[in-house]
């Protein structure tokens, strides 16, 4: 037996029979496995290595300085460290929330858990303890810890772990390509947003705490908001006294062509969840940013506290790395680059849409696109679950890797090919990614 089948590591979301790779080196937009194979990373690992793999010596220098000065102290019970204070200030400067406060955690799921708890305690402090439910969208992914899982929109992810935290409500996505309400109409009618209102009315607004949405929803394939969507959601939240949580774990830090999905689409959130790009994954870190109206009841009385904490939340090493990462973002104008060059990646995806019989739709923004794959473009006929499984697991994924591109073929909604390259990628990398996708789709089409 090889080391790959006998090692002691329990990999995440890895089927017992799945192939295994060990990645031991990276540079720029490329990763290498231990067999010496090189891959173009068209997914920024997991939508997170936004600055690419460098090397960026300033990050290692910042990490070393911090470890030498203060390897750890806590953000609990009145304490803070200079990097956590400085990073909270930097985040406040970047987010579209005036005078917000940032609560640091260890990653995206913990950010969602914390947002759920902030929302519940917020309503209790305001004398509305019956508000405990959360509206999210079908297929949406918000993490795997039990609370975050409870608000996930994918039944397949939830099934093994039920019963979950009660109160998870699911609204439809703004999924123009297959929208049951308006895909046959010239423009989106925003009925998908109105459904949130209907769900809240039906449940009783006095039982609902918040609506949690990604600006661009990853799962089901880069579902982008139609014009007016978030304005309508904001109105619904205001009408019913609900908090609006923008889950920016993927969209934040340049991914969708602006600092955040909220800035890109003019969303006015009460809470924002951040992770991934905040450190470009050079260290684990997540955060929840709260707007002044949310913070107010927590700070109104000297004895009140948000009764929640995580030992490593705001770890000084992770915060120092985040600060160095954000300096690189600014110096290299990576957000501007995502804005400027994103359309070039989209143009290549659109060309594939125009030319390839298997590509039914292209969605996304910035450096984040999904191409929905179909059996028949005219009828939008899609693959059966068995066909999808076979296509993705036994053909598309391994074949793209063989051709030197690490990308994702997603099956959490309809079958999608996904690109989310590091923001340092450019036309040369776009050509390679889309070229390899074209080749694997040509071969897959022949198989079909
Ligand atoms: N929210 C969104 C939108 C995500 O995509 C993810 C992870 O991919 C999470 C939350 C959970 O983040 P983490 O895996 O860091 O716990």
């Amino acid at each position: 037996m090889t080391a790959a089948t006998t090692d002691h590591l329990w990999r995440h979301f890895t089927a017992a029979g799945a192939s295994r790779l060990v990645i031991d080196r990276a540079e720029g937009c490329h990763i290498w496995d231990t067999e010496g194979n090189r891959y173009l990373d068209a997914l920024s690992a997991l939508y997170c290595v936004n600055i690419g793999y460098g090397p960026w010596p300033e990050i290692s220098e910042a990490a070393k300085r911090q470890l030498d000065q203060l390897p750890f102290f806590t953000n609990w019970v009145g304490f803070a460290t200079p990097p956590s204070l400085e990073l909270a200030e930097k985040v406040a400067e970047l987010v579209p929330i005036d005078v917000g406060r940032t609560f640091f955690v260890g990653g995206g799921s913990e950010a969602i858990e914390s947002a759920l708890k902030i929302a519940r305690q917020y309503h209790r402090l305001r004398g509305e303890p019956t508000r405990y439910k959360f509206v999210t969208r079908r297929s949406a992914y918000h993490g795997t810890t039990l609370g975050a899982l409870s608000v996930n929109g994918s039944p397949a992810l939830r099934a093994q772990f039920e019963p979950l935290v009660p109160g998870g409500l699911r609204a439809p996505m703004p999924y123009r390509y297959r929208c049951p309400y308006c895909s046959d109409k010239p423009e989106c009618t925003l009925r998908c947003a109105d459904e949130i209102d209907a769900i809240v009315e039906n449940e009783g607004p006095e039982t609902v705490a918040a609506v949690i949405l990604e600006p661009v929803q990853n799962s089901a394939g880069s579902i982008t908001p139609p014009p007016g969507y978030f304005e309508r959601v904001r109105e619904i939240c205001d009408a019913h006294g609900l908090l609006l949580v923008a889950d920016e774990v993927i969209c934040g830090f340049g991914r969708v062509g602006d600092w955040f999905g909220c800035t890109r689409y003019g969303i006015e959130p009460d809470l924002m969840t951040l992770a991934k790009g905040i450190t470009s994954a050079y260290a684990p870190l997540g955060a929840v940013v709260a707007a002044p109206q949310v913070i107010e009841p927590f700070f109104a009385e000297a004895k009140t506290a948000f009764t929640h904490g995580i030992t490593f939340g705001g770890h000084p090493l992770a915060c120092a790395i985040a600060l160095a990462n954000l300096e690189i973002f600014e110096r290299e104008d990576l957000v501007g680059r995502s804005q400027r060059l994103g359309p070039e990646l989209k143009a290549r995806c659109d060309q594939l849409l125009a030319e390839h019989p298997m590509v039914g739709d292209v969605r996304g923004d910035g450096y984040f696109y999904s191409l929905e794959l179909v059996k028949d473009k005219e009828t939008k006929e899609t693959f059966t679950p068995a066909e999808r499984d076979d296509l993705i697991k036994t053909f598309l994924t391994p074949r793209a890797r063989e051709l030197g591109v690490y990308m994702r073929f997603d099956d959490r909604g309809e079958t999608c090919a996904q690109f989310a390259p590091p923001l340092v990628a450019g036309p040369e990398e776009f050509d390679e990614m889309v070229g390899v996708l074209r080749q694997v789709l040509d071969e897959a089409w022949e198989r079909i």
Side-chain angles (χ1 to χ4, degrees), residues 47 107-110 112 141-144 214 218 247 249-250 275-276:
Y47 320 87
S109 298
E110 286 180 4
I112 291 288
Y141 182 85
H142 295 290
T144 48
E214 286 172 273
N218 174 36
D247 183 352
V249 167
I250 286 183
K276 298 193 189 264

Side-chain angles (χ1 to χ4, degrees), residues 120-135:
R120 283 194 177 180
Q121 192 177 344
Y122 162 85
H123 288 300
R124 275 178 190 261
L125 288 171
R126 288 165 41 98
E128 294 193 277
T130 57
R131 288 188 184 265
Y132 69 93
K133 299 176 188 170
F134 296 94
V135 182

Side-chain angles (χ1 to χ4, degrees), residues 231-314:
E231 287 85 341
R232 181 77 190 105
V233 172
R234 182 71 261 179
E235 277 168 23
I236 294 164
C237 289
D238 290 344
H240 296 302
L242 319 178
L243 297 182
L244 175 56
V245 183
D247 183 352
E248 295 262 15
V249 167
I250 286 183
C251 293
F253 302 98
R255 178 59 57 204
V256 294
D258 209 325
W259 273 104
F260 301 99
C262 286
T263 45
R264 175 80 180 88
Y265 305 110
I267 304 168
E268 294 174 18
D270 297 300
L271 294 169
M272 291 168 76
T273 51
L274 312 176
K276 298 193 189 264
I278 193 169
T279 57
S280 286
Y282 281 53
L285 185 70
V288 189
V289 189
Q293 65 274 18
V294 180
I295 295 158
E296 197 273 328
F298 289 93
F299 287 83
E301 286 187 25
K303 282 193 183 153
T304 307
F306 175 36
T307 39
H308 179 60
I310 286 163
T311 300
F312 293 153

Side-chain angles (χ1 to χ4, degrees), residues 122 155 262 290 338 343 362 373 389 434:
Y122 162 85
C262 286
S338 173
V362 170
L373 307 181
D389 225 43
V434 180

